[in-house]
Amino acid sequence: MNTGLSASAITRAHLAGPIDCVLRPGELVGLIGPNGAGKTTLLRTLANLTTGSGRITLDGDDLARIPGDLRARRIAYMPTQRRVDWPMTVRDIVALGLPSHTRSDRARVDSTLARVDGAVFADRRIDTLSTGEQARVLLARTLVGAMDYLLLDEPTANLDPGHQIDIMDILREECSRGAGVMTSFHDLTLAERYCDRCILLNAGKVIAEGSPHDVMQDQHLAASFGIRRADRGWVRTN
Amino acid sequence: MSVRRLSLILLGPLLIVAILSLALGEASLFDIYARDPVLAGQLLVELRLPRLILGLFVGAALGLSGAALQGLLRNPLASPDILGTSAGAALGAVVTAYYLGFAGSIAMAGGGIVGALLALALLLLLAGRGASTTTLILAGVAISALCAALINIALAFAPSPFAFYDIMFWLLGSLADRSIDHVRVGLPPMLFGCLLLLFTRHSLDALTLGEDVAETLGVNVRRLRMQAIVGSAIAIGGGVAISGTIGFVGLVVPHLVRPVVGGRPGAALIPSALAGATLLVAADLLTRVPVDGRTLPIGVITALLGAPFFLWLILSKRGIVR
Amino acid sequence: MRVASLGLCTDEIVLLLAKPGQVVSVSFLSHDPHETPLAAKAKALHSNSGRFNSVVALRPDLVITGGAVNMLAREMAERMGVDVLDIPPPQTLDQLRASIRSIAAALDVVMRGEALIGWMDARLGKRPLLRHKALMIVTGGLTPLPGSLTEDLLSYAGIAHQTQPRSQVTRETLYANPDLQLIVSDYRSGQYSLPQEWLNITAHAANQPPVHVDGRLWTCPGPLAAADVERLRRVFSK
């Protein structure tokens, strides 16, 4: 029974005070907040990459006690950092997202690449691609394992609007197959349109949590980003 | 190309240089065989075979450590000689042999391993994790220079005036006149170190996406780091104690091999070991050709071959040549 | 008369010839029992570094060198009225006799010089037929140079020295000539070095047990080496 990836009363460096949060199967949760608000720390914490007090459970089991290779089959994490150190081929990089004994599953790699519109450069070296293309390859690496929970740090950064929408559609597809997806954004419009739920962070604290509409109230946005809603998009409050 | 296919292809040249290494030498094996077959057998088993075995394994250890350290540090300029690991091993061996009163090759191998470990630990301390190429190389240069100075001091103040001959006899790299005793001492650490390094090959590929991602892909990054560092130190420590500091093999070989296996750092390990072994045995064959009645130390030959490659690497990193 | 000798080779002859009180300084090497059996005789004397300026303060009348003193030092000696006698290492037995005579003349002990030569020649005896082939090796496989005094001296023990063209042998050469008798120098054999380890292994592996010599006598062979020839002749005739 998948009850979700949930954190209770966690304290971490860069987070102010104990924080609770949960990612349930099938939902798309948007993490929003200004730079330095603690979005990355929260995502890394849910991926078991940080240490501190509090308890994180994966479908009821203590996350830290689950062996690394089993955890790796349930949770996929994609950092903002898009560096790939070696000029590997796109296909090899995507295959890294599969459990090691299935890394030769070429059909799965290719179909995942097709989903991110990357079939044409499957055989190319990653260092010959554009930034946007690289971002899509790394997303494909995150998707290929069909994990239960996806933790993505700004997957739409550096992408053109068309591909941003494509990626959000893909994440919705992931939710409809039952995966829980948590992703950070700087684009509030995308967050508003696609997310089931939003968590607004500021200075390491949760300012608001709930439906995108409830979270993106003017008082919340003013308190965190220092912006308000205007007729066409967003403007600075002062 | 798949690792298996490349490895099979590399076995060809390896076999050729191995046979040449057994067949060619200062004395003509065929002449001796005609005179005294038993003696020829002895020469083969007691001199040329140990030399071949040591050449193969020192080369493999260098290639493998280079590939593993490059993968671990995610840096194409990492290698045991550039990072000061070899110099640390040499210093450890010299200090053990001349000052701690543990004379003999076994003690030198032990001292070499400790020295290599200390040098690598110092490097990580100086440069930190995820250090830039420049920081890493500078730290390596500093460690190498320090160790070289200390080695010279240690040899100059050693009780035996012949200690200074060690520089030519061993430090610049030599496989000449090694015996089965050297194999007995050097082979176990090199084998053990290489095995440890081979265990890292699946994890190193994942590390290319960064430590965080590797960790979420099920890699125990801390254990991987320990394995690669301890494995390199043991393999290099054992190798240096027997054959001195042989440069550039660990740097060059992974570069030649990695593109063939699609740039995967982990996949480059086994072919790097094979290519390193081939290269070193081939270089050792060159040392048997006297130039004006004298032969060059093997470390000088690998440096002559490797230094231009190193320069090319720097230039290509700077984008001056492609 | 105050005499200073700057080198191990001249030290030996000076120490054997000089009258009590005549010598004021010999080189530091001659104070080291690892280097010469005459170290006890040198004990009370000043120890010099082998350079002229290390004996200047002793105000010697005569400085005996091995020939390697620089121009500056020579000019300084001339200005100070110090005689300088150069005795380069002898390459033949006749040169050795001439060296002894030169030093004896300079020390004004001509008769003692003749006596030393007589003693040496008595130990050498008449040159017998060269019935034995042998190779003298020092640590690391170093062997006496072609045309050296060592070859000359060994011939008086009936030994045809198998001089190596590169004045160094490898184990492979020794394996290829398994019947070659080795004369192993014990020079500093108790002190560890890799070349020493090489020598130990090599000597051990030879077909015939090697003949050992006191290496101190043979580093720069003089009258004491000649005395050792008598012993070698006995050993080889057995």
Side-chain angles (χ1 to χ4, degrees), chain A residues 19-42:
Chain A
I19 285 184
D20 297 320
C21 82
V22 64
L23 174 62
R24 294 184 198 90
E27 70 172 348
L28 178 55
V29 176
L31 270 185
I32 53 175
N35 294 328
K39 303 186 293 292
T40 297
T41 305
L42 189 57

PDB file of all heavy atoms in Angstrom, chain A residues 19-42:
ATOM      1  N   ILE A  19       9.878  20.977   9.742  1.00  0.00           N
ATOM      2  CA  ILE A  19       8.967  21.077   8.596  1.00  0.00           C
ATOM      3  C   ILE A  19       8.292  19.728   8.406  1.00  0.00           C
ATOM      4  O   ILE A  19       8.919  18.682   8.581  1.00  0.00           O
ATOM      5  CB  ILE A  19       9.751  21.473   7.327  1.00  0.00           C
ATOM      6  CG1 ILE A  19      10.113  22.962   7.391  1.00  0.00           C
ATOM      7  CG2 ILE A  19       8.960  21.176   6.068  1.00  0.00           C
ATOM      8  CD1 ILE A  19      10.787  23.483   6.170  1.00  0.00           C
ATOM      9  N   ASP A  20       7.017  19.757   8.069  1.00  0.00           N
ATOM     10  CA  ASP A  20       6.303  18.547   7.675  1.00  0.00           C
ATOM     11  C   ASP A  20       5.933  18.690   6.218  1.00  0.00           C
ATOM     12  O   ASP A  20       5.567  19.785   5.778  1.00  0.00           O
ATOM     13  CB  ASP A  20       5.009  18.390   8.478  1.00  0.00           C
ATOM     14  CG  ASP A  20       5.293  18.216   9.961  1.00  0.00           C
ATOM     15  OD1 ASP A  20       6.268  17.506  10.272  1.00  0.00           O
ATOM     16  OD2 ASP A  20       4.555  18.803  10.775  1.00  0.00           O
ATOM     17  N   CYS A  21       6.027  17.598   5.489  1.00  0.00           N
ATOM     18  CA  CYS A  21       5.452  17.622   4.146  1.00  0.00           C
ATOM     19  C   CYS A  21       5.252  16.205   3.654  1.00  0.00           C
ATOM     20  O   CYS A  21       5.847  15.271   4.180  1.00  0.00           O
ATOM     21  CB  CYS A  21       6.293  18.448   3.184  1.00  0.00           C
ATOM     22  SG  CYS A  21       7.675  17.589   2.494  1.00  0.00           S
ATOM     23  N   VAL A  22       4.391  16.075   2.661  1.00  0.00           N
ATOM     24  CA  VAL A  22       4.103  14.736   2.178  1.00  0.00           C
ATOM     25  C   VAL A  22       3.907  14.774   0.668  1.00  0.00           C
ATOM     26  O   VAL A  22       3.445  15.779   0.113  1.00  0.00           O
ATOM     27  CB  VAL A  22       2.850  14.144   2.893  1.00  0.00           C
ATOM     28  CG1 VAL A  22       1.610  14.955   2.560  1.00  0.00           C
ATOM     29  CG2 VAL A  22       2.655  12.676   2.524  1.00  0.00           C
ATOM     30  N   LEU A  23       4.324  13.701   0.021  1.00  0.00           N
ATOM     31  CA  LEU A  23       4.103  13.544  -1.421  1.00  0.00           C
ATOM     32  C   LEU A  23       3.349  12.233  -1.599  1.00  0.00           C
ATOM     33  O   LEU A  23       3.865  11.165  -1.305  1.00  0.00           O
ATOM     34  CB  LEU A  23       5.439  13.513  -2.159  1.00  0.00           C
ATOM     35  CG  LEU A  23       5.389  13.204  -3.659  1.00  0.00           C
ATOM     36  CD1 LEU A  23       4.601  14.273  -4.408  1.00  0.00           C
ATOM     37  CD2 LEU A  23       6.802  13.092  -4.238  1.00  0.00           C
ATOM     38  N   ARG A  24       2.095  12.353  -2.070  1.00  0.00           N
ATOM     39  CA  ARG A  24       1.275  11.138  -2.179  1.00  0.00           C
ATOM     40  C   ARG A  24       1.332  10.607  -3.602  1.00  0.00           C
ATOM     41  O   ARG A  24       1.588  11.368  -4.550  1.00  0.00           O
ATOM     42  CB  ARG A  24      -0.173  11.460  -1.801  1.00  0.00           C
ATOM     43  CG  ARG A  24      -0.327  11.838  -0.347  1.00  0.00           C
ATOM     44  CD  ARG A  24      -1.785  12.051   0.035  1.00  0.00           C
ATOM     45  NE  ARG A  24      -1.820  12.819   1.282  1.00  0.00           N
ATOM     46  CZ  ARG A  24      -1.850  14.142   1.333  1.00  0.00           C
ATOM     47  NH1 ARG A  24      -1.868  14.848   0.215  1.00  0.00           N
ATOM     48  NH2 ARG A  24      -1.871  14.757   2.503  1.00  0.00           N
ATOM     49  N   PRO A  25       1.075   9.312  -3.769  1.00  0.00           N
ATOM     50  CA  PRO A  25       1.060   8.744  -5.121  1.00  0.00           C
ATOM     51  C   PRO A  25       0.026   9.455  -5.983  1.00  0.00           C
ATOM     52  O   PRO A  25      -1.052   9.805  -5.485  1.00  0.00           O
ATOM     53  CB  PRO A  25       0.649   7.284  -4.895  1.00  0.00           C
ATOM     54  CG  PRO A  25       0.977   6.998  -3.468  1.00  0.00           C
ATOM     55  CD  PRO A  25       0.817   8.292  -2.734  1.00  0.00           C
ATOM     56  N   GLY A  26       0.394   9.688  -7.224  1.00  0.00           N
ATOM     57  CA  GLY A  26      -0.566  10.236  -8.170  1.00  0.00           C
ATOM     58  C   GLY A  26      -0.740  11.733  -8.127  1.00  0.00           C
ATOM     59  O   GLY A  26      -1.518  12.286  -8.903  1.00  0.00           O
ATOM     60  N   GLU A  27      -0.030  12.430  -7.236  1.00  0.00           N
ATOM     61  CA  GLU A  27      -0.218  13.880  -7.214  1.00  0.00           C
ATOM     62  C   GLU A  27       1.040  14.604  -7.693  1.00  0.00           C
ATOM     63  O   GLU A  27       2.157  14.084  -7.571  1.00  0.00           O
ATOM     64  CB  GLU A  27      -0.616  14.373  -5.822  1.00  0.00           C
ATOM     65  CG  GLU A  27       0.474  14.283  -4.787  1.00  0.00           C
ATOM     66  CD  GLU A  27       0.095  14.975  -3.473  1.00  0.00           C
ATOM     67  OE1 GLU A  27      -0.909  15.705  -3.434  1.00  0.00           O
ATOM     68  OE2 GLU A  27       0.835  14.788  -2.487  1.00  0.00           O
ATOM     69  N   LEU A  28       0.805  15.786  -8.241  1.00  0.00           N
ATOM     70  CA  LEU A  28       1.896  16.629  -8.712  1.00  0.00           C
ATOM     71  C   LEU A  28       1.979  17.829  -7.778  1.00  0.00           C
ATOM     72  O   LEU A  28       1.064  18.642  -7.708  1.00  0.00           O
ATOM     73  CB  LEU A  28       1.629  17.088 -10.161  1.00  0.00           C
ATOM     74  CG  LEU A  28       2.643  18.014 -10.819  1.00  0.00           C
ATOM     75  CD1 LEU A  28       4.046  17.420 -10.773  1.00  0.00           C
ATOM     76  CD2 LEU A  28       2.264  18.262 -12.275  1.00  0.00           C
ATOM     77  N   VAL A  29       3.091  17.870  -7.016  1.00  0.00           N
ATOM     78  CA  VAL A  29       3.252  18.932  -6.025  1.00  0.00           C
ATOM     79  C   VAL A  29       4.293  19.924  -6.518  1.00  0.00           C
ATOM     80  O   VAL A  29       5.389  19.515  -6.907  1.00  0.00           O
ATOM     81  CB  VAL A  29       3.678  18.354  -4.667  1.00  0.00           C
ATOM     82  CG1 VAL A  29       3.951  19.463  -3.662  1.00  0.00           C
ATOM     83  CG2 VAL A  29       2.615  17.406  -4.134  1.00  0.00           C
ATOM     84  N   GLY A  30       3.950  21.184  -6.534  1.00  0.00           N
ATOM     85  CA  GLY A  30       4.895  22.215  -6.965  1.00  0.00           C
ATOM     86  C   GLY A  30       5.534  22.885  -5.762  1.00  0.00           C
ATOM     87  O   GLY A  30       4.857  23.266  -4.822  1.00  0.00           O
ATOM     88  N   LEU A  31       6.870  22.966  -5.803  1.00  0.00           N
ATOM     89  CA  LEU A  31       7.596  23.687  -4.749  1.00  0.00           C
ATOM     90  C   LEU A  31       7.933  25.049  -5.317  1.00  0.00           C
ATOM     91  O   LEU A  31       8.647  25.142  -6.320  1.00  0.00           O
ATOM     92  CB  LEU A  31       8.906  22.971  -4.431  1.00  0.00           C
ATOM     93  CG  LEU A  31       8.965  21.885  -3.361  1.00  0.00           C
ATOM     94  CD1 LEU A  31      10.405  21.455  -3.179  1.00  0.00           C
ATOM     95  CD2 LEU A  31       8.379  22.382  -2.065  1.00  0.00           C
ATOM     96  N   ILE A  32       7.403  26.102  -4.688  1.00  0.00           N
ATOM     97  CA  ILE A  32       7.753  27.428  -5.181  1.00  0.00           C
ATOM     98  C   ILE A  32       8.335  28.258  -4.052  1.00  0.00           C
ATOM     99  O   ILE A  32       8.187  27.928  -2.878  1.00  0.00           O
ATOM    100  CB  ILE A  32       6.543  28.142  -5.831  1.00  0.00           C
ATOM    101  CG1 ILE A  32       5.362  28.153  -4.854  1.00  0.00           C
ATOM    102  CG2 ILE A  32       6.151  27.476  -7.131  1.00  0.00           C
ATOM    103  CD1 ILE A  32       4.164  28.945  -5.363  1.00  0.00           C
ATOM    104  N   GLY A  33       8.992  29.306  -4.454  1.00  0.00           N
ATOM    105  CA  GLY A  33       9.641  30.164  -3.462  1.00  0.00           C
ATOM    106  C   GLY A  33      10.844  30.827  -4.089  1.00  0.00           C
ATOM    107  O   GLY A  33      11.366  30.342  -5.102  1.00  0.00           O
ATOM    108  N   PRO A  34      11.275  31.964  -3.507  1.00  0.00           N
ATOM    109  CA  PRO A  34      12.414  32.683  -4.096  1.00  0.00           C
ATOM    110  C   PRO A  34      13.713  31.891  -3.958  1.00  0.00           C
ATOM    111  O   PRO A  34      13.764  30.879  -3.258  1.00  0.00           O
ATOM    112  CB  PRO A  34      12.471  33.977  -3.280  1.00  0.00           C
ATOM    113  CG  PRO A  34      11.769  33.658  -2.013  1.00  0.00           C
ATOM    114  CD  PRO A  34      10.753  32.621  -2.312  1.00  0.00           C
ATOM    115  N   ASN A  35      14.760  32.371  -4.634  1.00  0.00           N
ATOM    116  CA  ASN A  35      16.073  31.714  -4.534  1.00  0.00           C
ATOM    117  C   ASN A  35      16.503  31.635  -3.084  1.00  0.00           C
ATOM    118  O   ASN A  35      16.337  32.586  -2.335  1.00  0.00           O
ATOM    119  CB  ASN A  35      17.131  32.498  -5.315  1.00  0.00           C
ATOM    120  CG  ASN A  35      16.859  32.470  -6.808  1.00  0.00           C
ATOM    121  OD1 ASN A  35      16.332  31.486  -7.314  1.00  0.00           O
ATOM    122  ND2 ASN A  35      17.186  33.552  -7.498  1.00  0.00           N
ATOM    123  N   GLY A  36      17.004  30.489  -2.684  1.00  0.00           N
ATOM    124  CA  GLY A  36      17.481  30.347  -1.307  1.00  0.00           C
ATOM    125  C   GLY A  36      16.389  30.056  -0.307  1.00  0.00           C
ATOM    126  O   GLY A  36      16.628  30.069   0.895  1.00  0.00           O
ATOM    127  N   ALA A  37      15.173  29.760  -0.790  1.00  0.00           N
ATOM    128  CA  ALA A  37      14.062  29.536   0.132  1.00  0.00           C
ATOM    129  C   ALA A  37      14.148  28.172   0.806  1.00  0.00           C
ATOM    130  O   ALA A  37      13.544  27.951   1.850  1.00  0.00           O
ATOM    131  CB  ALA A  37      12.738  29.650  -0.612  1.00  0.00           C
ATOM    132  N   GLY A  38      14.899  27.245   0.182  1.00  0.00           N
ATOM    133  CA  GLY A  38      15.029  25.907   0.760  1.00  0.00           C
ATOM    134  C   GLY A  38      14.372  24.827  -0.084  1.00  0.00           C
ATOM    135  O   GLY A  38      14.222  23.692   0.371  1.00  0.00           O
ATOM    136  N   LYS A  39      14.038  25.153  -1.347  1.00  0.00           N
ATOM    137  CA  LYS A  39      13.388  24.164  -2.219  1.00  0.00           C
ATOM    138  C   LYS A  39      14.305  22.984  -2.477  1.00  0.00           C
ATOM    139  O   LYS A  39      13.915  21.825  -2.348  1.00  0.00           O
ATOM    140  CB  LYS A  39      13.008  24.803  -3.561  1.00  0.00           C
ATOM    141  CG  LYS A  39      12.110  26.030  -3.461  1.00  0.00           C
ATOM    142  CD  LYS A  39      11.650  26.527  -4.813  1.00  0.00           C
ATOM    143  CE  LYS A  39      12.764  27.089  -5.690  1.00  0.00           C
ATOM    144  NZ  LYS A  39      13.345  28.353  -5.184  1.00  0.00           N
ATOM    145  N   THR A  40      15.569  23.314  -2.826  1.00  0.00           N
ATOM    146  CA  THR A  40      16.523  22.239  -3.135  1.00  0.00           C
ATOM    147  C   THR A  40      16.787  21.380  -1.900  1.00  0.00           C
ATOM    148  O   THR A  40      16.822  20.156  -1.993  1.00  0.00           O
ATOM    149  CB  THR A  40      17.827  22.849  -3.674  1.00  0.00           C
ATOM    150  OG1 THR A  40      17.541  23.533  -4.883  1.00  0.00           O
ATOM    151  CG2 THR A  40      18.867  21.781  -3.939  1.00  0.00           C
ATOM    152  N   THR A  41      16.935  22.038  -0.745  1.00  0.00           N
ATOM    153  CA  THR A  41      17.197  21.286   0.468  1.00  0.00           C
ATOM    154  C   THR A  41      16.049  20.322   0.765  1.00  0.00           C
ATOM    155  O   THR A  41      16.276  19.160   1.122  1.00  0.00           O
ATOM    156  CB  THR A  41      17.393  22.235   1.663  1.00  0.00           C
ATOM    157  OG1 THR A  41      18.413  23.161   1.332  1.00  0.00           O
ATOM    158  CG2 THR A  41      17.781  21.468   2.909  1.00  0.00           C
ATOM    159  N   LEU A  42      14.825  20.788   0.562  1.00  0.00           N
ATOM    160  CA  LEU A  42      13.682  19.928   0.838  1.00  0.00           C
ATOM    161  C   LEU A  42      13.667  18.730  -0.116  1.00  0.00           C
ATOM    162  O   LEU A  42      13.453  17.587   0.306  1.00  0.00           O
ATOM    163  CB  LEU A  42      12.387  20.740   0.716  1.00  0.00           C
ATOM    164  CG  LEU A  42      11.122  20.014   1.181  1.00  0.00           C
ATOM    165  CD1 LEU A  42      11.258  19.563   2.629  1.00  0.00           C
ATOM    166  CD2 LEU A  42       9.899  20.928   1.050  1.00  0.00           C
TER     167      LEU A  42
END
